[in-house]
Amino acid sequence: MRKRQEIAERHLTEKIREYFPDEDVVLFDIETTGLSWKTSHVYLIGVLYCCCGEWILVQWFLDRPSEEKNLLQMFGDFLHDLKGKEKNGNSEEGGGSVRLLHYNGNLFDLPYIRHKCEFYGLTDPFEGMESVDIYREVHPLQKFLGLPSLKQKDVEKFLGVEREDRSSGGDLIPVYRRYLESRDEELLHLLFLHNHDDVAGMADIIPVLSYPLFFSGGFRLSGEAMVGESGEAMPCGDDFCFQENGASSPERQALRIRMKADHAFPVPAAVTDREYGAVLRLGCGENPLSADLLIRTRKMEMKHFFSDYRNYFYLPDEDRAIHRDVAIFVDPEHREKARAATCYQRARGTFLPQFSGQIEPAFYMDYKSKPAYFRWEDFQSRLAGSEETEDETLRQYLLDFLEVFRRTSR
C-alpha cells in the first residue's frame, strides 16, 4: 500500500468554501480495473478534505491486489473518523455535517465501493452521509451550456480548467497491470497523476453548479420588472420579428426581468425559446452575477373563461357571457345558455404566457388553447400594491419559466 498527500492549491479551496461554507466536504474519486465490482478491483482512492485548517489531497494506492480489503478498510476508517469529529462537534472549517462531493459517483463510485465492502464484510463507509453528484446536477443543462458530453474533462474544458493528465480511466487499466509486473515509477506517476487531476479538477469545476443552483431559485430580483422596447429582435414563432420602416413593432415589446444570482456564472450563457418568445442570458454583461430574462408580450384581445358555465348565458350579439342573475334582464331572443367554449369575457391588454395558471385571472386565445396568459396591466397593479420586497408570485413565475428553459434545452 502506498500513500501520497499534498496541500491543495488555494484557489481550489476557495471554490469549495464559496459553495459549501457551512459543511465539511470530502471530494473523492476511485480508479478500478473495470466497471463490474465482481470482476475487477479498486486500486486507487483519492480524497480532498480539510484537516486542521488546511485542505489536503490524499491518495491511497494498491500495489498488491490481494490487499484490496485493507485499502477499503483504510478508506472506511478515514470517513468514520471525519464523521466522528462532526458528531463530537470538532469539525473543521465548515462546522456542519460531512458531505461527499463526486462526479457521477451515484452511478459508479458509491455503489462500487458499497458492493465491495459488503463482499468483504465491511460496514458501508458512506452510511449517514449526504452527497452531491456534480454530474447529476449539470446533466439537465448539457444542451443549455453547449457541452458536447458530460465527461469531467469536457466540463473542465468548458470552464477553462487545465490539467496535466491526458489519460482516461480505461487507458490506465493496462498501465496499472504493467506497473504490477515492472514496478516502473514512471507508470506509477501516470496512475497517481490521473486520479490527482480528477480530484483536483472536481474542485475546479464546482462553479459549474452556479447554473443548476440558479435554475432552482438561487437568485434575487434586481430592479423592477418592466414592459418596454426590447431593443433587439425578439423570437417570434420560427423566425425573429424586427422593426418595420423604423417604427416600433408590437413584437418588439417585451417584459424584462433582471436578477442577481447567488453565485457568479463562470462562463456567459444564453438561450432562446422560440415557442414562447423568450431570451435568457446569464452573466452576459459586465457583472458575472447578472441574469436577464426577456419575454415577448402580446398586445391583443384574449378571453377569460368561467368554469361554472351552467350559471351563465352567452350573448351572441356581444360575443360575451354574463351571469344568469344579470341575464334575466336580457331579451331571451338575444341570449342562449352558455357552453364551456362560449362562457368567457373578452379583454384587451398586454399579455404574457404563464404555465401553472396561478396568476389570476388567466386568459386564453381560445377555448382549451395553450398556454394560459395573464394581463400585465393587472399584474403590475398587484406588484405596485405589494408590501413584500419581492413578490412571491413573480418569483414563482420566474421559476416556472426557467423550468421551461431547462426542459426544452435537454
Side-chain angles (χ1 to χ4, degrees):
M1 192 85 63
R2 294 204 184 195
K3 178 181 177 181
R4 287 187 181 180
Q5 67 180 51
E6 64 177 51
I7 303 298
E9 296 181 20
R10 183 179 180 83
H11 78 280
L12 299 179
T13 63
E14 289 175 346
K15 291 178 180 180
I16 297 172
R17 277 293 162 240
E18 178 185 348
Y19 285 81
F20 303 96
D22 301 318
E23 298 173 282
D24 285 330
V25 181
V26 180
L27 293 76
F28 90 105
D29 183 62
I30 66 173
E31 310 302 332
T32 69
T33 59
L35 298 178
S36 172
W37 68 272
K38 295 180 180 179
T39 58
S40 66
H41 62 267
V42 56
Y43 68 86
L44 184 54
I45 300 177
V47 301
L48 177 59
Y49 75 109
C50 186
C51 178
C52 302
E54 288 188 314
W55 284 84
I56 302 174
L57 199 159
V58 181
Q59 296 171 283
W60 296 280
F61 177 77
L62 186 68
D63 54 2
R64 292 186 180 86
S66 60
E67 297 179 354
E68 182 181 43
K69 181 179 180 180
N70 295 338
L71 173 63
L72 294 168
Q73 183 70 65
M74 189 175 299
F75 178 59
D77 291 345
F78 163 78
L79 291 180
H80 181 268
D81 289 346
L82 281 183
K83 289 185 285 186
K85 289 181 180 179
E86 183 274 327
K87 186 176 181 180
N88 295 325
N90 296 319
S91 56
E92 299 292 344
E93 288 184 19
S97 61
V98 180
R99 186 184 293 264
L100 291 169
L101 187 64
H102 46 83
Y103 196 87
N104 205 22
N106 286 351
L107 185 64
F108 182 68
D109 302 62
L110 271 68
Y112 189 101
I113 294 295
R114 283 187 170 123
H115 282 306
K116 282 289 186 181
C117 288
E118 183 180 6
F119 175 78
Y120 286 115
L122 302 174
T123 58
D124 179 0
F126 309 120
E127 184 178 2
M129 300 183 73
E130 296 182 358
S131 71
V132 175
D133 189 334
I134 299 177
Y135 171 89
R136 290 292 180 90
E137 296 294 326
V138 179
H139 183 269
L141 299 175
Q142 178 181 354
K143 185 177 178 182
F144 173 78
L145 297 175
L147 293 167
S149 83
L150 285 174
K151 295 178 180 178
Q152 181 174 326
K153 288 183 179 180
D154 284 323
V155 178
E156 291 174 5
K157 184 177 180 181
F158 169 72
L159 297 177
V161 175
E162 297 183 359
R163 63 157 60 199
E164 183 181 347
D165 164 64
R166 293 292 180 265
S167 304
S168 69
D171 294 336
L172 293 175
I173 295 175
V175 174
Y176 175 63
R177 289 172 179 156
R178 291 203 306 271
Y179 167 76
L180 293 178
E181 296 173 356
S182 66
R183 304 292 168 170
D184 187 327
E185 289 294 320
E186 291 186 6
L187 298 179
L188 182 64
H189 171 73
L190 293 176
L191 298 170
F192 269 110
L193 177 64
H194 174 75
N195 179 259
H196 172 281
D197 285 6
D198 271 355
V199 176
M202 203 182 304
D204 244 335
I205 66 172
I206 284 178
V208 79
L209 293 175
S210 61
Y211 303 101
L213 287 172
F214 171 80
F215 277 87
S216 298
F219 61 83
R220 290 173 290 137
L221 297 179
S222 178
E224 291 186 53
M226 300 182 64
V227 168
E229 289 293 320
S230 66
E232 59 189 271
M234 290 297 296
C236 177
D238 293 330
D239 299 301
F240 283 82
C241 301
F242 295 90
Q243 283 185 326
E244 298 178 359
N245 301 321
S248 174
S249 166
E251 301 294 355
R252 288 177 62 90
Q253 291 284 320
L255 170 67
R256 182 185 293 271
I257 305 176
R258 290 186 171 91
M259 296 156 278
K260 183 177 181 181
D262 293 343
H263 299 279
F265 301 109
V267 179
V271 66
T272 296
D273 186 288
R274 294 178 180 273
E275 181 179 0
Y276 297 110
V279 178
L280 174 67
R281 296 192 182 90
L282 305 181
C284 290
E286 295 181 0
N287 185 355
L289 291 167
S290 67
D292 202 21
L293 176 62
L294 286 170
I295 309 170
R296 179 169 54 88
T297 62
R298 293 180 179 271
K299 198 170 185 66
M300 59 187 297
E301 183 179 88
M302 288 197 181
K303 301 172 182 177
H304 171 65
F305 290 85
F306 301 102
S307 59
D308 55 338
Y309 64 90
R310 291 182 177 84
N311 291 320
Y312 285 81
F313 280 82
Y314 176 64
L315 309 181
D317 295 340
E318 301 180 28
D319 189 23
R320 67 188 180 98
I322 59 175
H323 196 270
R324 64 184 182 182
D325 292 344
V326 179
I328 59 176
F329 300 105
V330 178
D331 189 334
E333 294 184 0
H334 296 279
R335 74 186 191 203
E336 60 186 57
K337 287 186 176 181
R339 294 175 289 109
T342 60
C343 192
Y344 56 78
Q345 289 280 356
R346 293 176 291 115
R348 294 197 63 83
T350 303
F351 293 93
L352 288 144
Q354 60 170 318
F355 310 99
S356 61
Q358 69 171 10
I359 303 179
E360 294 288 347
F363 291 86
Y364 299 84
M365 290 188 178
D366 211 340
Y367 182 59
K368 287 190 175 181
S369 65
K370 292 183 179 181
Y373 289 82
F374 68 92
R375 189 163 60 174
W376 172 248
E377 291 83 357
D378 300 334
F379 193 66
Q380 192 175 32
S381 298
R382 172 177 174 171
L383 290 177
S386 174
E387 296 181 357
E388 300 293 332
T389 56
E390 183 176 285
D391 187 89
E392 282 303 314
T393 305
L394 177 58
R395 182 175 178 83
Q396 185 58 52
Y397 178 66
L398 280 170
L399 290 172
D400 289 343
F401 226 112
L402 292 176
E403 181 58 30
V404 170
F405 278 111
R406 176 155 50 185
R407 186 173 63 248
T408 57
S409 66
R410 287 178 182 174

